[in-house]
PDB file of all heavy atoms in Angstrom:
ATOM      1  N   GLN R  74      99.401  86.616 132.767  1.00 97.00           N
ATOM      2  CA  GLN R  74     100.710  85.930 132.352  1.00 97.00           C
ATOM      3  C   GLN R  74     101.326  86.470 131.079  1.00 97.00           C
ATOM      4  O   GLN R  74     102.436  86.699 131.020  1.00 97.00           O
ATOM      5  CB  GLN R  74     100.530  84.464 132.281  1.00 97.00           C
ATOM      6  CG  GLN R  74     101.782  83.666 132.099  1.00 97.00           C
ATOM      7  CD  GLN R  74     102.746  83.888 133.158  1.00 97.00           C
ATOM      8  OE1 GLN R  74     102.440  83.774 134.377  1.00 97.00           O
ATOM      9  NE2 GLN R  74     104.016  84.244 132.851  1.00 97.00           N
ATOM     10  N   ALA R  75     100.460  86.815 130.104  1.00 97.00           N
ATOM     11  CA  ALA R  75     100.882  87.318 128.846  1.00 97.00           C
ATOM     12  C   ALA R  75     101.513  88.731 129.096  1.00 97.00           C
ATOM     13  O   ALA R  75     102.441  89.087 128.550  1.00 97.00           O
ATOM     14  CB  ALA R  75      99.727  87.417 127.838  1.00 97.00           C
ATOM     15  N   PHE R  98      89.163  95.438 105.146  1.00 98.00           N
ATOM     16  CA  PHE R  98      90.315  95.192 104.407  1.00 98.00           C
ATOM     17  C   PHE R  98      90.073  95.530 102.880  1.00 98.00           C
ATOM     18  O   PHE R  98      91.067  96.091 102.319  1.00 98.00           O
ATOM     19  CB  PHE R  98      90.775  93.740 104.527  1.00 98.00           C
ATOM     20  CG  PHE R  98      91.588  93.506 105.792  1.00 98.00           C
ATOM     21  CD1 PHE R  98      91.165  92.916 106.919  1.00 98.00           C
ATOM     22  CD2 PHE R  98      93.039  93.768 105.712  1.00 98.00           C
ATOM     23  CE1 PHE R  98      91.928  92.730 108.001  1.00 98.00           C
ATOM     24  CE2 PHE R  98      93.771  93.590 106.874  1.00 98.00           C
ATOM     25  CZ  PHE R  98      93.229  93.095 108.043  1.00 98.00           C
ATOM     26  N   LEU R 127     104.852 106.738 102.133  1.00 94.00           N
ATOM     27  CA  LEU R 127     106.075 106.034 102.446  1.00 94.00           C
ATOM     28  C   LEU R 127     107.032 106.903 103.167  1.00 94.00           C
ATOM     29  O   LEU R 127     107.114 108.055 102.835  1.00 94.00           O
ATOM     30  CB  LEU R 127     106.691 105.445 101.236  1.00 94.00           C
ATOM     31  CG  LEU R 127     105.957 104.317 100.414  1.00 94.00           C
ATOM     32  CD1 LEU R 127     106.857 103.966  99.195  1.00 94.00           C
ATOM     33  CD2 LEU R 127     105.874 103.070 101.306  1.00 94.00           C
ATOM     34  N   LEU R 132     110.527 104.835 112.854  1.00 89.00           N
ATOM     35  CA  LEU R 132     110.261 104.373 114.188  1.00 89.00           C
ATOM     36  C   LEU R 132     111.564 103.954 114.910  1.00 89.00           C
ATOM     37  O   LEU R 132     111.620 104.010 116.155  1.00 89.00           O
ATOM     38  CB  LEU R 132     109.282 103.194 114.199  1.00 89.00           C
ATOM     39  CG  LEU R 132     107.864 103.494 113.814  1.00 89.00           C
ATOM     40  CD1 LEU R 132     107.098 102.288 113.477  1.00 89.00           C
ATOM     41  CD2 LEU R 132     107.220 104.294 114.895  1.00 89.00           C
ATOM     42  N   VAL R 192      85.618  96.498 121.787  1.00 98.00           N
ATOM     43  CA  VAL R 192      86.533  95.316 122.076  1.00 98.00           C
ATOM     44  C   VAL R 192      87.598  95.853 123.007  1.00 98.00           C
ATOM     45  O   VAL R 192      87.981  95.075 123.953  1.00 98.00           O
ATOM     46  CB  VAL R 192      87.168  94.831 120.842  1.00 98.00           C
ATOM     47  CG1 VAL R 192      88.206  93.719 121.054  1.00 98.00           C
ATOM     48  CG2 VAL R 192      86.037  94.203 119.853  1.00 98.00           C
ATOM     49  N   VAL R 196      88.663  94.316 126.724  1.00 98.00           N
ATOM     50  CA  VAL R 196      90.052  93.956 127.105  1.00 98.00           C
ATOM     51  C   VAL R 196      90.465  94.690 128.353  1.00 98.00           C
ATOM     52  O   VAL R 196      91.124  94.152 129.334  1.00 98.00           O
ATOM     53  CB  VAL R 196      91.016  94.178 125.909  1.00 98.00           C
ATOM     54  CG1 VAL R 196      92.436  93.852 126.396  1.00 98.00           C
ATOM     55  CG2 VAL R 196      90.696  93.273 124.726  1.00 98.00           C
ATOM     56  N   THR R 257      95.312  91.528 110.876  1.00 97.00           N
ATOM     57  CA  THR R 257      96.249  91.435 109.814  1.00 97.00           C
ATOM     58  C   THR R 257      95.650  90.539 108.709  1.00 97.00           C
ATOM     59  O   THR R 257      94.779  89.774 108.954  1.00 97.00           O
ATOM     60  CB  THR R 257      97.593  90.806 110.241  1.00 97.00           C
ATOM     61  OG1 THR R 257      97.382  89.418 110.632  1.00 97.00           O
ATOM     62  CG2 THR R 257      98.256  91.553 111.397  1.00 97.00           C
ATOM     63  N   PRO R 273     122.963  89.540 120.963  1.00 86.00           N
ATOM     64  CA  PRO R 273     122.175  90.176 120.081  1.00 86.00           C
ATOM     65  C   PRO R 273     120.617  90.050 120.370  1.00 86.00           C
ATOM     66  O   PRO R 273     120.322  89.067 121.199  1.00 86.00           O
ATOM     67  CB  PRO R 273     122.439  89.543 118.659  1.00 86.00           C
ATOM     68  CG  PRO R 273     122.808  88.114 119.072  1.00 86.00           C
ATOM     69  CD  PRO R 273     123.495  88.232 120.381  1.00 86.00           C
ATOM     70  N   VAL R 279     105.207  86.653 115.086  1.00 96.00           N
ATOM     71  CA  VAL R 279     103.793  86.514 115.587  1.00 96.00           C
ATOM     72  C   VAL R 279     103.008  86.216 114.329  1.00 96.00           C
ATOM     73  O   VAL R 279     102.736  87.093 113.461  1.00 96.00           O
ATOM     74  CB  VAL R 279     103.377  87.805 116.304  1.00 96.00           C
ATOM     75  CG1 VAL R 279     101.820  87.639 116.592  1.00 96.00           C
ATOM     76  CG2 VAL R 279     104.212  88.089 117.485  1.00 96.00           C
ATOM     77  N   ILE R 310     109.063  92.890 109.231  1.00 96.00           N
ATOM     78  CA  ILE R 310     109.984  92.514 108.173  1.00 96.00           C
ATOM     79  C   ILE R 310     109.219  91.914 107.085  1.00 96.00           C
ATOM     80  O   ILE R 310     108.422  90.984 107.142  1.00 96.00           O
ATOM     81  CB  ILE R 310     110.953  91.304 108.875  1.00 96.00           C
ATOM     82  CG1 ILE R 310     111.740  91.945 109.928  1.00 96.00           C
ATOM     83  CG2 ILE R 310     111.875  90.869 107.730  1.00 96.00           C
ATOM     84  CD1 ILE R 310     112.535  93.155 109.688  1.00 96.00           C
ATOM     85  N   ASN R 326      91.664 109.829 127.779  1.00 96.00           N
ATOM     86  CA  ASN R 326      91.302 111.200 127.519  1.00 96.00           C
ATOM     87  C   ASN R 326      92.571 112.160 127.358  1.00 96.00           C
ATOM     88  O   ASN R 326      93.513 111.848 128.069  1.00 96.00           O
ATOM     89  CB  ASN R 326      90.398 111.782 128.734  1.00 96.00           C
ATOM     90  CG  ASN R 326      89.242 110.940 128.822  1.00 96.00           C
ATOM     91  OD1 ASN R 326      88.956 109.933 128.127  1.00 96.00           O
ATOM     92  ND2 ASN R 326      88.309 111.481 129.620  1.00 96.00           N
ATOM     93  N   SER R 339     104.715 100.471 146.170  1.00 94.00           N
ATOM     94  CA  SER R 339     104.773 100.101 147.544  1.00 94.00           C
ATOM     95  C   SER R 339     106.156 100.791 148.060  1.00 94.00           C
ATOM     96  O   SER R 339     106.872 101.457 147.269  1.00 94.00           O
ATOM     97  CB  SER R 339     104.908  98.621 147.725  1.00 94.00           C
ATOM     98  OG  SER R 339     106.152  98.173 147.076  1.00 94.00           O
TER      99      SER R 339
END
Side-chain angles (χ1 to χ4, degrees):
Q74 187 56 51
F98 274 102
L127 290 176
L132 291 167
V192 176
V196 173
T257 70
V279 174
I310 299 295
N326 301 8
S339 64

